[in-house]
């Protein structure tokens, strides 16, 4: 809480080109909080290096992720937009919270299991302790609300557990955060395999629609999207492919599932896939246009980063001095 305003924190890794999963599940919702809440939106580059990154690509994507935040409507005057590694308190509190997070807890994290399977040659300690760094991100700012996709629910629960544990040992130190998971759009699935999450690090380019894809690419990817053998546009258990397309259509049009069913009654999957492509491409066109403009202005982006990091650091400092004192570090 800041005065009587609640505090919102969320982050996106600059680990690849952002997808419509990131957009619908997370970023698109961020700006809804800007008017009422004090919002911190972070580019979490420390998290991104848990998977090996090419340095030049990481740097470029850090600028791009920040530019996308702004292109998606996050006004840097109203929101604190910053880069995680530019506020050293994240790493500092991350280490401290490592010491209050149990090996067994971290071993149960499904993201760790998934990523270890995908990166068998680089199962590093950072990949394992990723959730305590995420807890540090959130707890540093005394966050009330964390908007994320459903895949992050387990990490949020761990954050709450660690915060409660710390508070129990040392007395009230951290606000216990709540997740904000938009129910109807919480998980956008891969277009090639609708049983798995659409993920920016997927190697199959056709499985993923990127926010910055051209209209032609978007249309082509939706036309090729895997669906089941039926033909009616109907939201039903087990029809993962069509359910996913309906969720995406809903996200861009605001129409309910039953309205969508009515709209496409008697029309086949082909028609529907083209319609999803259209609303998605049209919905993203203004974002792409803004992005193209903003990304050219490095100096502007750097000024946003700098102001953001300074403001974030000043909030973080307050929590850190409390934490340091409670633990028994000499000031
Ligand atoms: P990676 O593939 O590198 O693990 P990612 O695509 O899962 O990345 P993150 O940067 O880890 O993306 O996630 C940023 C935010 O986007 C998180 O809040 C996450 O829950 C949300 N998100 C990511 N993918 C999806 C998806 N397919 N559907 C809904 N939300 C998503
Ligand atoms: N773990 C998240 C990214 C992330 C995050 C955060 C989200 C890092 N720190 C703090 C919300 C709050 C992910 O993989 N999507």
């Amino acid at each position: 809480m800041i005065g009587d305003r609640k505090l919102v924190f969320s982050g996106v890794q600059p680990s690849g080109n952002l997808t419509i999963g990131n957009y619908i599940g997370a970023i698109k919702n961020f700006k809804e909080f800007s008017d009422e809440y004090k919002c911190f939106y972070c580019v979490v580059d420390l998290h991104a290096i848990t998977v090996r990154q090419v340095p030049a690509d990481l740097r470029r994507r850090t600028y791009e992720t920040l530019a996308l935040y702004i292109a998606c409507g996050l006004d840097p005057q109203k929101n604190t937009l910053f880069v995680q590694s530019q506020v050293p308190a994240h790493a500092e509190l991350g280490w401290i919270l490592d010491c209050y997070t149990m090996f067994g807890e971290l071993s149960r994290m499904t993201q760790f299991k998934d990523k270890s399977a995908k990166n068998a040659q680089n199962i590093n300690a950072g990949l394992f302790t990723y959730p305590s760094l995420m807890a540090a991100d959130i707890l540093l700012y005394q966050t009330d609300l964390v908007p994320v996709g459903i895949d992050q629910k387990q990490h949020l629960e761990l954050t709450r557990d660690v915060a409660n544990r710390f508070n129990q040992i040392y007395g009230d130190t951290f606000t216990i955060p709540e997740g904000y998971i938009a129910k109807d759009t919480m998980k956008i699935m891969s277009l090639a395999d609708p049983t798995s999450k659409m993920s920016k690090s997927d190697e199959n380019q056709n499985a993923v629609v990127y926010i910055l894809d051209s209209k032609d690419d978007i249309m082509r990817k939706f036309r090729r999207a895997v669906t089941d053998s039926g033909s009616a546009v109907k939201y039903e258990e087990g029809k993962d492919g069509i359910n996913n397309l309906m969720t995406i259509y809903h996200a861009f049009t605001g129409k309910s599932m039953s309205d969508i069913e009515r709209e496409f009654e008697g029309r086949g999957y082909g028609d529907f896939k083209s319609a999803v492509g259209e609303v998605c491409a049209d919905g993203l066109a203004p974002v792409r246009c803004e992005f193209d403009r903003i990304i050219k202005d490095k100096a502007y982006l750097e000024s946003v980063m700098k102001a953001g990091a300074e403001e974030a650091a000043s909030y973080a400092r307050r929590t850190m001095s409390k934490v340091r004192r409670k633990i028994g570090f000499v000031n």
Side-chain angles (χ1 to χ4, degrees):
M1 284 294 241
I2 307 295
D4 57 357
R5 268 211 304 177
K6 287 201 172 174
L7 199 141
V8 170
F9 184 99
S10 196
V12 174
Q13 302 183 65
S15 54
N17 296 323
L18 298 198
T19 72
I20 57 166
N22 301 126
Y23 180 70
I24 298 171
I27 303 178
K28 185 165 147 296
N29 307 318
F30 289 176
K31 71 166 180 289
E32 287 168 24
F33 299 101
S34 303
D35 286 331
E36 251 182 88
Y37 299 84
K38 172 74 192 158
C39 300
F40 288 83
Y41 295 121
C42 185
V43 180
V44 291
D45 53 349
L46 297 174
H47 279 107
I49 62 164
T50 55
V51 171
R52 196 70 71 229
Q53 303 289 339
V54 175
D57 290 348
L58 180 62
R59 197 169 295 120
R60 176 177 49 79
R61 285 181 180 136
T62 301
Y63 282 98
E64 287 175 355
T65 307
L66 183 72
L68 261 180
Y69 274 170
I70 303 169
C72 288
L74 297 177
D75 178 352
Q77 303 296 330
K78 275 168 86 184
N79 303 274
T80 305
L81 308 180
F82 72 106
V83 177
Q84 189 187 28
S85 67
Q86 296 184 347
V87 180
H90 287 255
E92 189 182 358
L93 185 61
W95 167 257
I96 292 172
L97 295 184
D98 275 344
C99 303
Y100 299 83
T101 308
M102 299 302 130
F103 184 88
E105 288 176 316
L106 293 172
S107 312
R108 286 194 287 278
M109 295 294 119
T110 54
Q111 181 173 302
F112 172 67
K113 293 184 212 166
D114 291 349
K115 294 225 165 165
S116 312
K118 278 195 204 145
N119 300 282
Q121 71 305 341
N122 182 24
I123 306 178
N124 59 71
L127 196 61
F128 188 64
T129 61
Y130 179 114
S132 24
L133 179 60
M134 177 162 161
D137 297 341
I138 296 168
L139 301 178
L140 253 184
Y141 300 96
Q142 307 293 349
T143 301
D144 296 286
L145 212 58
V146 186
V148 281
I150 188 101
D151 60 307
Q152 295 303 309
K153 188 163 182 255
Q154 203 184 22
H155 289 163
L156 275 179
E157 279 160 7
L158 182 63
T159 300
R160 291 164 57 90
D161 290 344
V162 171
N164 274 317
R165 184 172 300 142
F166 197 98
N167 285 353
Q168 230 146 42
I169 304 173
Y170 299 104
D172 245 5
T173 311
F174 298 123
T175 301
I176 309 298
E178 303 274 350
Y180 175 90
I181 301 174
K183 234 203 278 126
D184 47 355
T185 52
M186 56 196 181
K187 198 170 185 185
I188 302 301
M189 310 308 273
S190 151
L191 296 189
D193 171 11
T195 59
S196 72
K197 187 187 88 153
M198 184 181 286
S199 162
K200 62 169 115 74
S201 47
D202 198 317
E203 273 162 22
N204 179 359
Q205 301 276 310
N206 288 320
V208 181
V209 177
Y210 299 103
I211 300 179
L212 299 174
D213 270 348
S214 69
K215 181 160 187 175
D216 284 352
D217 282 340
I218 295 177
M219 294 301 292
R220 180 177 46 77
K221 289 178 184 182
F222 277 111
R223 261 187 244 113
R224 285 199 195 159
V226 169
T227 39
D228 55 276
S229 56
S231 64
V233 177
K234 218 169 172 14
Y235 197 93
E236 275 171 346
E237 183 87 18
K239 287 173 55 178
D240 299 322
I242 211 73
N243 293 351
N244 188 38
L245 295 181
M246 288 178 77
T247 303
I248 296 170
Y249 194 75
H250 158 76
F252 283 104
T253 60
K255 293 179 184 165
S256 69
M257 293 304 168
S258 51
D259 281 349
I260 301 172
E261 287 172 0
R262 226 167 295 128
E263 185 177 350
F264 289 92
E265 208 174 326
R267 295 160 68 183
Y269 282 176
D271 259 14
F272 182 54
K273 286 181 182 178
S274 300
V276 182
E278 287 283 347
V279 297
C280 176
D282 293 352
L284 293 175
V287 174
R288 198 161 44 236
C289 186
E290 264 301 273
F291 175 87
D292 288 343
R293 191 179 64 78
I294 298 163
I295 196 65
K296 291 193 194 109
D297 196 346
K298 280 259 159 62
Y300 169 67
L301 288 170
E302 282 163 5
S303 73
V304 170
M305 279 181 204
K306 183 161 182 280
E310 279 167 9
E311 179 162 36
S314 84
Y315 278 79
R317 207 169 298 125
R318 283 180 238 170
T319 301
M320 280 317 297
S321 80
K322 202 152 110 178
V323 167
R324 295 173 55 90
R325 180 166 40 80
K326 295 207 177 202
I327 290 181
F329 291 161
V330 175
N331 243 333

